[in-house]
Amino acid sequence: AVLGGALAISMVMCEFWLIMKANAIVLMIGGVIKEMITIGVGVWVFGDVLNGINLAGFCVVFSGVLLYKISHFLAKLEAKAEGLVDDDLSNVGGGKNVNYAHV
């Protein structure tokens, strides 16, 4: 019980740190990937069976994560081409607010 509580508190502290350093979308994407890994391990290790609806949902979620990452990457490349970022793509906008939302 104590170990479980300590792990839960550690997880919350890590989430808080991650949100401070990045944003809530990064945490959400990480959570989705964690759930996908959990499902994959359940199927592979424990022999859980996924029906068609489960597989379709898995594919939709995976596609969403993939499209988000592609969109984010392309937005960074576009910002770099416009001279809004450094070569390492870490200092976006030189202190300016740059919107990466491309729908």
Side-chain angles (χ1 to χ4, degrees):
V2 174
L3 178 62
L7 288 174
I9 290 171
S10 298
M11 184 183 72
V12 170
M13 298 285 286
C14 289
E15 290 174 354
F16 181 71
W17 179 82
L18 183 61
I19 290 174
M20 282 180 22
K21 295 295 180 184
N23 58 38
I25 293 177
V26 171
L27 181 65
M28 183 184 71
I29 296 295
V32 168
I33 292 171
K34 179 191 73 144
E35 292 297 326
M36 291 177 68
I37 291 170
T38 302
I39 291 169
V41 167
V43 169
W44 183 54
V45 173
F46 300 112
D48 292 346
V49 178
L50 299 179
N51 60 28
I53 292 175
N54 298 130
L55 289 174
F58 191 86
C59 291
V60 166
V61 169
F62 182 74
S63 299
V65 170
L66 188 62
L67 289 173
Y68 170 78
K69 293 303 287 180
I70 290 170
S71 172
H72 191 67
F73 178 74
L74 292 176
K76 281 187 175 184
L77 286 179
E78 182 180 316
K80 182 180 178 186
E82 294 174 2
L84 296 175
V85 297
D86 294 337
D87 288 323
D88 65 357
L89 296 177
S90 63
N91 186 14
V92 176
K96 301 174 189 167
N97 289 330
V98 177
N99 186 2
Y100 286 124
H102 293 293
V103 179

